[in-house]
Amino acid sequence: MKVFNLLALSTLMLLEAYRFTDETDRQALLEFKSQVSEGRRDVLSSWNNSFPLCRWKGVRCGRKHKRVTLMDLNGLQLGGVISPSIGNLSFLISLNLSDNSFGGTIPREVGNLFRLEHLDMSFNFLKEGIPISLYNCSRLAEFYLFSNHLGGGVPSEIGSLTKLVELDLGQNDLKGKLPASLGNLTSLMEVSFTTNNIEGEIPNDIGRLTQIVALQLSANKFSGVFPPSIYNLSTLLFLNIFGCGFSGSLRPDFGNLLPNLEHIYMGGNYFTGAIPITLPIISNLQVLGMEDNNLRGSIPPSFGQVPNLQSLNFRANQLGSRSFGDLDFLGALTNCSQLQVVDVGENWLGGDLPNSIANLSRNLMYLSLQTNFISGSIPHDIGNLISLQSLRLNQNLGNITRLVYLYFSNNSFDGTIPPSLGKCSQLLDLRVGYNKLNGTIPQEIMVIRSLTTLSMSNNYLSGSLAKDVGRLQNLVRLSVAANKLSGELPQTLGNCFSMEFMYLQGNSFDGAIPDIRKLVGVKEVDLSNNNLSGSIPVYIANFSSLQYLNLSINNFEGMVPTEGKFQNSTIVLLFGNKNLCGGIKELKLKPCIAVAPLMETKHLSLLKKVVIGVSVGIAFLLLLFIVSLRWFIKRKKNQKTNNSAASTLESFHEKISYGVLRNATDGFSSSNMVGSGSFGTVFKALLLGKRHTITQRTKVSPELM
């Protein structure tokens, strides 16, 4: 009977194979091609009747029946929609359409592919829900729909895919709660629902997944405490519940219950209490991330006994007691030869930095101790950490030539900034703010052309801002606020063409604002609380990206521009400059009374010159008139005298000749001279029996010539 049944089943399969020939598959694929966007259809140029079906691009056939068993179009950047005809490929075992640009929905006809074992439609633009019919594909072992726009919930029918080994529905828009039927997937080894909008508590049935090695639930909206059912998954190697919204404390025996974990990502939750003391007994642990929680207490030094530890992240918790001894665990970590990352910033750790920190793994690339209560100085031998690329924490730092990020802000470090930092030619980001550093800003730092951020605010730095700051042409952020810097701002500041944020407030800088008209991309400028003077440059009004300008509490003077950015009082602050005036009324500055007289003086000066000129001209003309009048009167007078004399002479001339006159005066003899003067000489003469006087001029006037 069993033999008969086996023969019957074989016969049915043969009938099905020959009833649906490869022509069915050919037509299904050609229909699929027709729905591909026209611009990318040429990628499937081999899909035509002149090529054998089994040699079409991305197509493989079974050896026995020559039917399509594999369709792999991964990464061809195809667009359009997925044709329902794909459901006619009844012998299909593997379907891979990942890394394309297909839109629309998943055809419900995919549920007809009952032989399907591998389905991958990741990295597309598929939307709406996952069709229920798809859960008819009971042979599915690998099911990937990662990174689409799929909505709806995860239906309970998913529990029918009992042969699933890998399930990835991450990075979609799935909602609702996870169904308890997930517990039916006992063959499941890897599951991901990361980055969705799934809510509620994790069902206890998930504890039945006893074969699971990777569980990813991160970036959802779960609630409740750490799922107790997860403690049952002793096979777990990879656990990611970052940003899930879980709360409560963790069991002290965490490490005993999950002894095989290699990667733990539990950051971004609301966990409280202490770090489970048994975590360090997980001998294969490589990565532990518990940042951004509310954990308290100390960091167990026993982490130094985890030989394969590569990354330890407790940033942004409440660990430590703000006292000595909080950093003892750092000394213990020197046993971890594979250690690459240590981040314990933004906690309550106190005390001096242990000298043993210089003995940490030479593979260490990232060390963050920022925003704690650490005091003292950096150990001299820290330069031994030759692989360090990011130090978020002063001597010998220049030996770490690979350093890219240097942060040791928000602590209590004192001393000076080492000039040897100038050797860190790859440094992009240098932040040493909010410490107790003193001395000057090393000029050697100004040769690090790669710098994009230079932050040294809130220290006790003195001296001036180096003139070579203009060499930092990649500098985006400059912050030296709240120090004791002085002197004039360097003119080269205007050469930092990439500048977007400039914070120089709270110092004693003086002089005028240098020419920064080339910093057209600047967004925020704070020069407040200094001794700067001069006028406010008008070109600042045209900085199109400017969002904040604070020039308050300085000695600026003159008229405030009223154009461009200066029209917005919400982004411009000018108070505390007693000699500024004008501007828009919202700035509440005094009217430019002090400026107007200056302008009037200029006008009055010009007017005065005109008045003086006119006055001088009039005086000259008046003087000329008086002189002319006097000359005219004198002339008239002279003319009258001359005319009188001329008349006498004429009367004599009419009757007496010159010879008669000469004879009458005895040749103008001195015996007949009556007298002489400047006008001439007077003679007496006897003419016609009458005595006359005759005047002889010493100079003959033109009238007598």
Side-chain angles (χ1 to χ4, degrees):
M1 188 65 179
K2 290 183 179 180
V3 174
F4 176 78
N5 289 337
L6 183 60
L7 289 173
L9 180 60
S10 301
T11 302
L12 288 173
M13 292 181 65
L14 287 171
L15 287 173
E16 182 182 8
Y18 287 105
R19 184 179 65 210
F20 297 100
T21 64
D22 64 346
E23 185 61 26
T24 304
D25 294 349
R26 183 187 300 273
Q27 292 303 318
L29 293 177
L30 290 175
E31 177 62 24
F32 177 91
K33 178 182 177 180
S34 70
Q35 298 299 308
V36 172
S37 56
E38 191 171 351
R40 296 295 301 169
R41 207 173 292 168
D42 57 337
V43 176
L44 304 178
S45 59
S46 62
W47 289 27
N48 61 70
N49 291 324
S50 62
F51 272 81
L53 173 65
C54 296
R55 293 178 56 189
W56 287 7
K57 185 179 182 69
V59 174
R60 296 290 182 272
C61 298
R63 293 181 179 179
K64 187 174 183 180
H65 304 301
K66 304 301 181 184
R67 301 292 301 276
V68 175
T69 57
L70 179 145
M71 182 176 172
D72 187 355
L73 305 181
N74 170 45
L76 299 183
Q77 299 180 359
L78 303 175
V81 298
I82 301 172
S83 171
S85 65
I86 201 169
N88 293 332
L89 300 173
S90 55
F91 277 76
L92 200 62
I93 296 174
S94 178
L95 175 60
N96 189 347
L97 303 179
S98 65
D99 199 13
N100 284 289
S101 298
F102 288 116
T105 62
I106 300 174
R108 67 176 184 274
E109 286 79 6
V110 175
N112 298 334
L113 305 177
F114 65 92
R115 290 186 173 90
L116 202 61
E117 297 177 5
H118 176 91
L119 174 62
D120 192 349
M121 295 183 178
S122 301
F123 298 103
N124 281 287
F125 299 99
L126 301 171
K127 57 185 180 180
E128 296 187 11
I130 302 171
I132 297 296
S133 61
L134 197 147
Y135 300 115
N136 294 330
C137 302
S138 58
R139 297 186 185 181
L140 269 179
E142 297 173 332
F143 184 16
Y144 307 113
L145 295 177
F146 178 79
S147 189
N148 279 283
H149 301 303
L150 298 170
V154 181
S156 59
E157 285 82 357
I158 196 172
S160 63
L161 304 179
T162 55
K163 294 186 178 181
L164 269 183
V165 176
E166 297 181 14
L167 172 64
D168 192 346
L169 303 181
Q171 203 162 310
N172 280 286
D173 192 26
L174 300 175
K175 300 179 177 63
K177 298 181 178 182
L178 291 179
S181 60
L182 279 173
N184 297 338
L185 310 181
T186 54
S187 297
L188 206 58
M189 298 183 67
E190 298 183 17
V191 60
S192 174
F193 292 101
T194 185
T195 318
N196 279 285
N197 290 301
I198 303 171
E199 57 190 13
E201 297 183 356
I202 304 296
N204 289 330
D205 298 80
I206 205 170
R208 296 164 55 195
L209 307 181
T210 55
Q211 303 299 314
I212 198 165
V213 296
L215 176 62
Q216 298 195 63
L217 304 173
S218 62
N220 277 285
K221 298 179 179 179
F222 296 116
S223 58
V225 299
F226 179 85
S229 55
I230 292 181
Y231 287 121
N232 296 329
L233 307 179
S234 60
T235 55
L236 269 180
L237 303 178
F238 189 102
L239 174 62
N240 186 356
I241 56 171
F242 181 91
C244 282
F246 294 127
S247 59
S249 58
L250 301 171
R251 289 178 56 163
D253 57 350
F254 189 103
N256 293 326
L257 299 171
L258 301 171
N260 295 305
L261 278 172
E262 297 177 358
H263 293 77
I264 303 175
Y265 300 95
M266 302 175 66
N269 286 285
Y270 304 99
F271 293 126
T272 57
I275 298 171
I277 194 66
T278 56
L279 272 176
I281 72 170
I282 304 177
S283 59
N284 292 323
L285 188 62
Q286 299 175 25
V287 176
L288 175 59
M290 304 184 77
E291 70 276 19
D292 292 292
N293 281 288
N294 296 312
L295 299 172
R296 292 176 177 266
S298 61
I299 300 175
S302 52
F303 277 115
Q305 301 172 13
V306 184
N308 297 316
L309 191 63
Q310 298 175 13
S311 178
L312 189 64
N313 191 346
F314 289 114
R315 180 181 55 82
N317 279 281
Q318 299 172 25
L319 298 168
S321 58
R322 309 185 188 185
S323 61
F324 291 96
D326 289 342
L327 300 174
D328 289 348
F329 74 95
L330 285 174
L333 290 178
T334 57
N335 297 322
C336 303
S337 60
Q338 305 300 316
L339 198 61
Q340 299 178 28
V341 174
V342 176
D343 190 346
V344 292
E346 301 179 50
N347 277 286
W348 295 352
L349 302 173
D352 289 345
L353 202 61
N355 290 329
S356 57
I357 192 175
N359 299 323
L360 288 172
S361 168
R362 293 202 171 203
N363 294 312
L364 192 66
M365 295 186 293
Y366 184 100
L367 174 60
S368 174
L369 303 173
Q370 65 178 25
T371 318
N372 277 287
F373 298 89
I374 304 172
S375 57
S377 59
I378 307 293
H380 290 268
D381 295 332
I382 199 169
N384 295 338
L385 305 177
I386 58 174
S387 297
L388 203 61
Q389 297 178 18
S390 180
L391 176 59
R392 300 186 176 221
L393 288 177
N394 297 315
Q395 297 98 359
N396 298 326
L397 287 176
N399 295 336
I400 316 173
T401 56
R402 299 182 187 178
L403 205 60
V404 178
Y405 302 97
L406 175 56
Y407 298 175
F408 58 94
S409 54
N410 293 90
N411 282 290
S412 299
F413 292 120
D414 52 23
T416 61
I417 300 172
S420 58
L421 276 176
K423 298 177 183 179
C424 301
S425 58
Q426 301 178 43
L427 198 61
L428 295 177
D429 205 333
L430 173 58
R431 306 190 190 196
V432 297
Y434 293 88
N435 279 286
K436 298 179 180 179
L437 300 172
N438 52 52
T440 60
I441 300 175
Q443 192 164 353
E444 288 80 359
I445 291 177
M446 305 305 165
V447 303
I448 310 176
R449 296 179 180 271
S450 57
L451 267 181
T452 60
T453 297
L454 178 58
S455 179
M456 300 180 167
S457 59
N458 291 82
N459 280 287
Y460 301 108
L461 300 173
S462 57
S464 60
L465 188 59
K467 294 180 179 180
D468 288 340
V469 68
R471 301 173 69 176
L472 304 178
Q473 296 188 1
N474 294 310
L475 198 62
V476 175
R477 180 183 294 267
L478 172 62
S479 178
V480 293
N483 278 286
K484 297 181 178 181
L485 300 171
S486 59
E488 294 187 356
L489 294 176
Q491 291 294 326
T492 60
L493 196 60
N495 296 332
C496 299
F497 306 123
S498 301
M499 188 79 74
E500 295 183 10
F501 305 93
M502 185 191 305
Y503 305 112
L504 309 180
Q505 70 271 23
N507 285 286
S508 298
F509 292 122
D510 54 32
I513 297 176
D515 187 351
I516 57 172
R517 70 184 69 227
K518 295 180 182 179
L519 307 186
V520 293
V522 72
K523 296 178 180 178
E524 296 186 9
V525 177
D526 195 336
L527 302 177
S528 63
N529 284 277
N530 280 287
N531 298 316
L532 297 171
S533 57
S535 59
I536 298 175
V538 178
Y539 58 77
I540 293 179
N542 300 321
F543 284 175
S544 58
S545 301
L546 192 64
Q547 301 171 6
Y548 177 76
L549 174 65
N550 192 347
L551 303 178
S552 303
I553 314 178
N554 277 287
N555 298 314
F556 292 115
E557 59 186 6
M559 182 178 293
V560 174
T562 57
E563 303 297 324
K565 295 296 182 178
F566 287 95
Q567 294 178 338
N568 189 347
S569 62
T570 62
I571 68 172
V572 177
L573 300 176
L574 299 172
F575 64 88
N577 290 278
K578 60 183 179 181
N579 293 321
L580 282 179
C581 65
I584 62 173
K585 64 179 182 180
E586 288 81 4
L587 293 175
K588 299 180 180 180
L589 298 174
K590 60 185 178 182
C592 287
I593 299 174
V595 178
L598 180 62
M599 298 181 67
E600 289 177 6
T601 301
K602 292 181 180 178
H603 291 300
L604 287 173
S605 178
L606 179 60
L607 181 60
K608 184 176 180 181
K609 290 179 181 179
V610 173
V611 170
I612 292 173
V614 171
S615 300
V616 170
I618 293 173
F620 177 79
L621 291 174
L622 184 59
L623 180 61
L624 183 63
F625 174 77
I626 294 172
V627 171
S628 300
L629 183 61
R630 292 183 64 184
W631 177 81
F632 180 77
I633 294 172
K634 185 176 181 181
R635 179 182 176 187
K636 287 293 184 179
K637 196 173 186 180
N638 289 340
Q639 284 180 349
K640 185 175 181 180
T641 304
N642 291 341
N643 289 341
S644 176
S647 298
T648 304
L649 288 173
E650 286 175 0
S651 65
F652 286 139
H653 188 267
E654 292 176 355
K655 301 176 180 180
I656 302 170
S657 65
Y658 179 78
V660 174
L661 290 174
R662 184 181 59 187
N663 291 328
T665 59
D666 195 14
F668 299 100
S669 172
S670 59
S671 60
N672 291 325
M673 183 175 66
V674 177
S676 63
S678 61
F679 188 76
T681 306
V682 180
F683 295 90
K684 61 182 179 178
L686 184 64
L687 295 172
L688 301 176
K690 295 181 179 180
R691 191 173 295 280
H692 297 274
T693 59
I694 298 172
T695 302
Q696 183 184 33
R697 299 178 184 276
T698 57
K699 293 182 181 179
V700 182
S701 67
E703 291 90 343
L704 301 177
M705 290 294 291

